[in-house]
Amino acid sequence: MTMQLRRRWSRWWDTFNIYHKHSLWGLAFVLPGVLFFIIFAYYPVLRAAQLSLTDYNLLSPPRYIGLGNYQFIFQEGSRFYKALVNTFEFVGGYAIPMWILALALALIFTQDFRGRGVYRTLYFVPIVLSETVISIVWRLIYHPQGIMNAAVAPLTGGVKIPWLTDSNIAPIALIIVAIWRVFGYYMIIFITGLQNIPGEYYDAAKVDGANRWQVFRFVTMPLLRPTTVFVVVITLLNGFQSFVYQFLITRGGPNDATTTLGYLIYEEAFPNLNMGRAAAISMVLFAMLIVLTFIQLYLLRQRYDT
Amino acid sequence: MSIRRLTGILGLLALLACLSLATVAAQEPIVIKFWSHDYPPREAIDRDIIARFEQDNPNIKVEYTIGPGDDFQYVPQLLTALAAGEGPDLFNVLTFLVPDLIPDGAVVPVDAEAAGYASQEEIINSYLPGVLETMIGVDGQLYALPTELGNYALFVNTALFREAGLDPEKDIPTTWEDLMALAPKLTKRDASGNIVQRAFDFSYPIPDEILGGGIAFQGMAHQLGGEYFNEERTEGRINTDAWVKTYTFVRDYAKEFGGMALTPSSIGFYEGNVAMLLSGPWYLPQLVEANNPELAKDVITAPFPRWKEGLVNDGGSALYAYGLHVNSQSSPEVQEAAWKLAGALTSEPERYFSEALLLQPKLSLTENEELMQGSFAAMFIRDMANSPSLPSLKNFGELPGIMNRALERILLEDMDVQESLNIANDELTALLAKE
């Protein structure tokens, strides 16, 4: 019986050529990873898409309502629009200054000077701390009697800035926290990218008489492009999904000024028990992130084409 | 050994195994998973009662868990656990969740016999009239046993009153108009004009503020005849004159003497830079004695202020209640044991009142004049008469959000009070339509 089975298997296996055999082995090896993604990534996305078409409050079974949730979030005056604008403002306000700061520091820290390692470490430290801890600490820093107001007191004449309770200032306060936490991390990534640029290119540029700006513009930037694309895409994805600071520092306030899409999803889902509506907003955010990912692929393809 | 004999022996062994399993199962204790929110003075009493309950009922074990942080964190965790089928068998939660819990079959009616009563009617009759209304479903059945009925009154720092040359006995404001008039005398500013001491402040929707502003605002509006919605629960009523006057007062006070940009009044009071605030009796042990025990001796309380002009209802702040509920997904044996435990946890209201300043609104407690006389919390109970209850609505978190945004539009964007409340009222009417 066993021999028969073995012979059958052998005959079946011999029907494949070497290329197909390799492919089958490859498939076998990636199968656990694929299964993991199907169960923990794709299934939740599909389930969220399904939930977005229902009225569901966690306690009773979901009730199908078609596109009702999408109609609600896209109706005139909906909080979704404010959250969308806030999200774009947060991403713009956090990502662009962070890129510039991280790159500028990376350029400085690739120069040779004493204490370089110490400074690099100091700038990197915040990324080691959890966002929760950072949020609690910054809430104290932004307290009306906190050190932030003490620090700016000479500039404001002692007038206390309501960092977290003014709808114009609170979004900026969160952007400062977000930048402070990650710029050291991206600085290290830029440093790695800069160190991978062969020194011969700089030597050649010098021989050609290029000034510092020209070296940066025509040598550094093009060769740093893969790193830049990575940093840009990752920071944008993280920015669009931002939730922790909005939840722990401002709870989306004041007056929804820091309610981003990530926070609105939470608020609709848990205090408000509108799971379907939360799922609908998640799907819109998902679509936005898909577009971002396509842009990333397009930029990367351009890089390899050239 | 013949096959027949072998089969007989195996059969006998199987029978013995079944019998021993049944015996073990019979001895297996019933485990009640019990969750409650964080309030250390109550927790100590709970644990003591649970220990005695387990001694008296050796076949029942209780796993007591304190939920994380405030209700903002505790309630979502509870609901998620219930949805996942991992919820506690018995849980203590704000009763404004009831419209979400009962129609969806998440909780079961009170088992009166297990809780130590002859009937639900006997339970209802043993409590202050009307206080269990928010715990009764549309089917007329009682779904919870109350662990706390609460309201807000005025906490006064008498040291700051004396420092300002005021008499804490005579000068405590009894009306909102008096409170506004008294504010300049107790407000201090630094050279830059920053307020460094406040006479009083409301609770605003700001980080770290643990007191709910809505409990006070609803009481203020109710005094003027205001209500959240019409009797049919089809239309909002939060843009009426009563609400406009309430929010106008809050705006005017905040602009001149307090506001959202300052430290939460619940913190400022125990730090000694807010002379008066509105809170429940639990505020004294939970925050004042815990953070500034020295201050506690200077703290007295006074009734929730009334309106001098236009008073329609002579009531205090809104009432809120916590109740013990039993999970419908638990087995019948566990449900019965859970109601038995709930009965035990609500059988010593005097102890909760004197040691944790919590009111389990039983007649046996409120009619206990000896206990009431000289009690810190007795004034709160007297102030409950004619007070409204926090409304119970489906999608419990939306109403506080609607009211908070209305206030923030007024305070932060200088929006006209009427206009802001019109927006809020439309949102509330849309929410009511979901019911």
Side-chain angles (χ1 to χ4, degrees):
Chain A
M1 185 72 176
T2 319
M3 285 295 287
Q4 265 186 346
L5 268 176
R6 199 174 285 172
R7 263 188 231 122
R8 269 190 200 173
W9 162 260
S10 183
R11 274 203 298 274
W12 180 76
W13 184 244
D14 288 342
T15 56
F16 295 104
N17 61 32
I18 188 76
Y19 175 76
H20 283 133
K21 281 178 182 170
H22 280 170
S23 300
L24 284 172
W25 276 116
L27 277 175
F29 280 120
V30 298
L31 195 60
V34 170
L35 280 176
F36 181 87
F37 267 96
I38 288 172
I39 296 167
F40 293 107
Y42 301 123
Y43 172 72
V45 171
L46 293 173
R47 184 87 177 105
Q50 189 192 7
L51 272 184
S52 73
L53 305 175
T54 66
D55 180 15
Y56 177 46
N57 72 348
L58 268 182
L59 299 166
S60 52
R63 189 171 55 89
Y64 178 75
I65 54 164
L67 295 174
N69 289 318
Y70 291 95
Q71 281 169 350
F72 181 88
I73 64 172
F74 287 120
Q75 74 183 338
E76 202 185 331
S78 157
R79 291 175 72 207
F80 171 79
Y81 293 114
K82 193 166 186 180
L84 189 66
V85 171
N86 289 345
T87 306
F88 274 99
E89 283 176 356
F90 178 80
V91 171
Y94 145 79
I96 297 167
M98 202 281 297
W99 300 332
I100 296 168
L101 185 66
L103 181 58
L105 287 170
L107 289 168
I108 291 169
F109 286 121
T110 43
Q111 309 300 312
D112 235 357
F113 60 89
R114 277 185 68 179
R116 189 177 66 163
V118 176
Y119 281 111
R120 275 188 194 177
T121 310
L122 283 176
Y123 285 129
F124 187 75
V125 162
I127 194 73
V128 179
L129 302 170
S130 82
E131 285 179 303
T132 312
V133 173
I134 284 171
S135 299
I136 293 165
V137 170
W138 275 88
R139 231 163 61 175
L140 295 171
I141 291 172
Y142 284 138
H143 189 275
Q145 273 82 43
I147 57 168
M148 198 61 143
N149 269 330
V152 300
L155 304 171
T156 59
V159 175
K160 291 187 168 63
I161 296 174
W163 291 100
L164 302 180
T165 47
D166 183 294
S167 39
N168 295 315
I169 300 171
I172 299 167
L174 295 197
I175 286 169
I176 292 171
V177 180
I179 293 175
W180 175 83
R181 180 168 184 265
V182 297
F183 79 90
Y185 172 71
Y186 290 109
M187 175 194 78
I188 296 291
I189 289 175
F190 273 127
I191 287 173
T192 313
L194 288 168
Q195 285 171 341
N196 283 335
I197 299 174
E200 291 86 352
Y201 291 110
Y202 291 110
D203 296 338
K206 271 183 197 166
V207 170
D208 289 344
N211 61 26
R212 279 189 168 192
W213 167 248
Q214 286 169 326
V215 169
F216 176 73
R217 170 73 185 81
F218 296 109
V219 179
T220 308
M221 282 309 288
L223 292 171
L224 198 60
R225 191 169 166 183
T227 310
T228 312
V229 168
F230 170 77
V231 170
V232 166
V233 170
I234 295 297
T235 50
L236 289 180
L237 288 176
N238 287 342
F240 275 109
Q241 296 177 79
S242 180
F243 165 73
V244 176
Y245 304 127
Q246 287 79 6
F247 176 65
L248 289 174
I249 301 180
T250 56
R251 293 241 162 120
N255 196 19
D256 278 346
T258 58
T259 296
T260 53
L261 290 176
Y263 182 79
L264 188 62
I265 290 167
Y266 165 78
E267 199 177 287
E268 286 291 4
F270 291 106
N272 295 356
L273 295 181
N274 291 317
M275 292 293 156
R277 214 180 279 170
I281 302 168
S282 303
M283 294 317 295
V284 175
L285 180 61
F286 176 66
M288 283 165 51
L289 296 180
I290 288 277
V291 171
L292 257 182
T293 309
F294 275 116
I295 292 169
Q296 172 199 21
L297 291 174
Y298 172 75
L299 290 172
L300 278 174
R301 196 176 300 134
Q302 264 202 333
R303 146 95 175 93
Y304 291 116
D305 288 349
T306 52
Chain B
M1 190 184 288
S2 68
I3 299 272
R4 188 179 289 179
R5 185 176 289 181
L6 185 67
T7 315
I9 291 170
L10 286 175
L12 195 65
L13 284 172
L15 189 67
L16 281 172
C18 288
L19 281 171
S20 54
L21 276 174
T23 314
V24 169
Q27 288 168 347
E28 191 87 7
I30 294 171
V31 178
I32 304 171
K33 283 196 283 177
F34 170 38
W35 288 15
S36 192
H37 68 286
D38 188 19
Y39 179 53
R42 191 214 59 241
E43 185 189 340
I45 306 170
D46 286 349
R47 288 198 185 280
D48 187 40
I49 292 175
I50 288 168
R52 275 189 282 127
F53 178 82
E54 284 179 329
Q55 271 179 2
D56 296 343
N57 300 277
N59 65 326
I60 302 177
K61 291 278 165 256
V62 182
E63 289 177 4
Y64 184 28
T65 304
I66 292 294
D70 56 16
D71 289 316
F72 198 74
Q73 295 163 291
Y74 168 64
V75 172
Q77 182 164 339
L78 174 67
L79 292 173
T80 314
L82 288 172
E86 297 289 324
D89 305 302
L90 177 70
F91 52 93
N92 187 24
V93 74
L94 272 170
T95 54
F96 64 51
L97 261 185
V98 166
D100 283 309
L101 292 170
I102 297 177
D104 297 323
V107 290
V108 292
V110 175
D111 180 339
E113 275 183 43
Y117 297 86
S119 65
Q120 286 202 351
E121 198 181 349
E122 189 188 324
I123 298 176
I124 293 165
N125 291 338
S126 68
Y127 282 88
L128 283 173
V131 297
L132 300 188
E133 267 175 25
T134 55
M135 302 172 199
I136 295 173
V138 285
D139 56 1
Q141 297 225 60
L142 180 67
Y143 279 83
L145 288 178
T147 56
E148 179 186 349
L149 178 69
N151 63 343
Y152 282 6
L154 204 58
F155 279 68
V156 179
N157 180 335
T158 54
L160 292 183
F161 264 63
R162 279 191 288 272
E163 195 181 293
L166 297 166
D167 182 343
E169 298 297 324
K170 290 180 188 167
D171 293 325
I172 292 176
T174 55
T175 67
W176 297 110
E177 291 86 344
D178 288 348
L179 190 141
M180 184 75 92
L182 188 69
K185 294 176 187 166
L186 284 159
T187 305
K188 288 183 183 172
R189 296 173 198 271
D190 65 13
S192 307
N194 296 311
I195 294 176
V196 292
Q197 179 183 300
R198 278 168 284 174
F200 164 84
D201 215 350
F202 289 102
S203 293
Y204 306 103
I206 53 176
D208 295 327
E209 178 55 276
I210 59 157
L211 304 173
I215 289 172
F217 304 149
Q218 188 189 348
M220 293 168 76
H222 177 257
Q223 289 173 358
L224 297 166
E227 55 199 0
Y228 271 110
F229 35 74
N230 60 358
E231 271 186 39
E232 298 79 27
R233 296 170 73 98
T234 52
E235 280 181 18
R237 286 276 185 270
I238 50 174
N239 58 349
T240 54
D241 289 347
W243 285 96
V244 171
K245 184 173 175 179
T246 298
Y247 273 58
T248 303
F249 181 89
V250 176
R251 178 199 65 188
D252 293 347
Y253 189 89
K255 293 266 179 206
E256 192 67 30
F257 302 111
M260 292 174 66
L262 301 168
T263 310
S265 56
S266 58
I267 295 173
F269 186 84
Y270 68 67
E271 286 179 343
N273 54 57
V274 174
M276 292 177 284
L277 96 157
L278 295 164
S279 187
W282 50 267
Y283 179 76
L284 189 69
Q286 175 96 329
L287 290 164
V288 179
E289 287 169 357
N291 292 292
N292 189 356
E294 277 296 297
L295 177 69
K297 66 178 180 346
D298 292 323
V299 175
I300 60 170
T301 55
F304 190 77
R306 269 54 170 177
W307 291 99
K308 199 181 284 180
E309 299 289 333
L311 187 70
V312 176
N313 296 309
D314 187 11
S317 78
L319 303 175
Y320 59 91
Y322 286 84
L324 291 167
H325 300 73
V326 170
N327 190 343
S328 62
Q329 293 175 43
S330 303
S331 68
E333 299 81 41
V334 173
Q335 287 179 7
E336 189 183 342
W339 281 123
K340 196 172 183 182
L341 175 60
L345 289 164
T346 51
S347 65
E348 299 180 36
E350 296 81 9
R351 195 168 166 206
Y352 283 98
F353 184 73
S354 52
E355 293 177 29
L357 297 175
L358 293 183
L359 174 69
Q360 291 185 356
K362 280 193 164 176
L363 288 170
S364 60
L365 171 73
T366 54
E367 288 169 357
N368 184 339
E369 286 184 18
E370 192 185 327
L371 195 66
M372 286 293 142
Q373 269 184 355
S375 157
F376 169 81
M379 186 276 301
F380 285 84
I381 297 171
R382 285 195 298 274
D383 214 26
M384 284 179 177
N386 301 319
S387 297
S389 289
L390 277 183
S392 295
L393 287 170
K394 273 187 87 71
N395 301 84
F396 79 100
E398 290 209 48
L399 182 60
I402 290 170
M403 301 311 289
N404 286 345
R405 288 194 296 277
L407 185 63
E408 287 172 328
R409 282 191 296 268
I410 294 163
L411 294 181
L412 300 171
E413 294 178 1
D414 287 326
M415 187 183 276
D416 176 66
V417 175
Q418 183 72 64
E419 189 185 347
S420 180
L421 289 175
N422 284 344
I423 295 170
N425 200 58
D426 290 343
E427 290 177 345
L428 176 57
T429 301
L431 178 61
L432 290 165
K434 277 193 79 174
E435 292 201 317

